[in-house]
Amino acid sequence: QDESTGAYVLSLAVDPTDSRVVYAGTGGFVGQGHGVYKSLDGGLSWSAANRGMLDYRITCLAIDPLHPQTVYAGSDTGELFKSTDGAASWIDRANTDLFEPSYNHPAIRGIALDPARPDSIYVLADYLGLVVSHDGAGNWTVLGRPESLASPRFTALAMIFHPQPGIIVGVDPNIDDSGGWIYAVR
């Protein structure tokens, strides 16, 4: 926690091509946040890297493994930001009907990129479930959510590639005593 801002680190991402480059998604109390911070020295010093996203609680981060200047950040109010310049600036890429009021601005709990096709971005959002974009966050398709849950909330997202591609999702155990959910990528 940074005592001067009251921000907590909620998420981290390390550049796969340079481990000295680290991104931190920050937040304070619900509804407060300080966006993304970036370190170029392995976490010894940090600077704000949040132009275009001030006051957002960043719950998850992901870096394009083939183009590490492209970074994605998800917020607890349903915004998905994209930077193509190493977090110097951000644009909101989830401002579509998919993430809008019918789902009460679902918190984004995870972002995963297919390393073989990093334009394929998988996003896990409360209530909505798993969504995918195959064009770098331009258009979105709902893949699904656990059918037995009317309004699921999630805790984690992980992709596996061998022996068969799939996505493993953690479901909030306080919702109908749920545990996990597996989605097979086709």
Side-chain angles (χ1 to χ4, degrees), residues 26-124:
T26 67
F29 295 106
V30 173
Q32 295 177 324
H34 301 281
V36 173
Y37 281 73
K38 182 177 182 179
S39 174
L40 298 174
D41 57 13
L44 296 174
S45 62
W46 296 89
S47 58
N50 53 22
R51 189 174 70 197
M53 66 158 49
L54 291 174
D55 300 327
Y56 286 99
R57 287 171 45 93
I58 302 303
T59 54
C60 52
L61 294 160
I63 301 171
D64 183 325
L66 298 180
H67 308 97
Q69 291 295 307
T70 300
V71 183
Y72 296 90
S75 82
D76 72 344
T77 53
E79 289 85 11
L80 177 70
F81 295 96
K82 180 179 182 179
S83 174
T84 57
D85 55 12
S89 63
W90 297 87
I91 54 172
D92 187 344
R93 297 302 302 164
N95 195 9
T96 68
D97 291 340
L98 187 61
F99 290 85
E100 284 301 314
S102 61
Y103 291 104
N104 195 23
H105 300 289
I108 296 178
R109 300 297 181 192
I111 304 169
L113 285 80
D114 183 337
R117 298 180 356 201
D119 276 353
S120 291
I121 302 151
Y122 297 86
V123 172
L124 181 64

Side-chain angles (χ1 to χ4, degrees), residues 135-149:
D135 61 2
N139 297 290
W140 296 95
T141 302
V142 176
L143 295 178
R145 64 181 191 201
E147 292 178 15
S148 63
L149 302 176

Side-chain angles (χ1 to χ4, degrees), residues 98-182:
L98 187 61
F99 290 85
E100 284 301 314
S102 61
Y103 291 104
N104 195 23
H105 300 289
I108 296 178
R109 300 297 181 192
I111 304 169
L113 285 80
D114 183 337
R117 298 180 356 201
D119 276 353
S120 291
I121 302 151
Y122 297 86
V123 172
L124 181 64
D126 282 349
Y127 316 117
L128 185 57
L130 191 60
V131 297
V132 66
S133 170
H134 293 295
D135 61 2
N139 297 290
W140 296 95
T141 302
V142 176
L143 295 178
R145 64 181 191 201
E147 292 178 15
S148 63
L149 302 176
S151 299
R153 291 189 322 214
F154 302 98
T155 58
L157 170 69
M159 286 193 74
I160 55 174
F161 296 97
H162 294 93
Q164 184 175 17
I167 296 172
I168 301 170
V169 173
V171 181
D172 186 332
N174 296 316
I175 308 293
D176 299 329
D177 295 322
S178 301
W181 180 61
I182 297 176

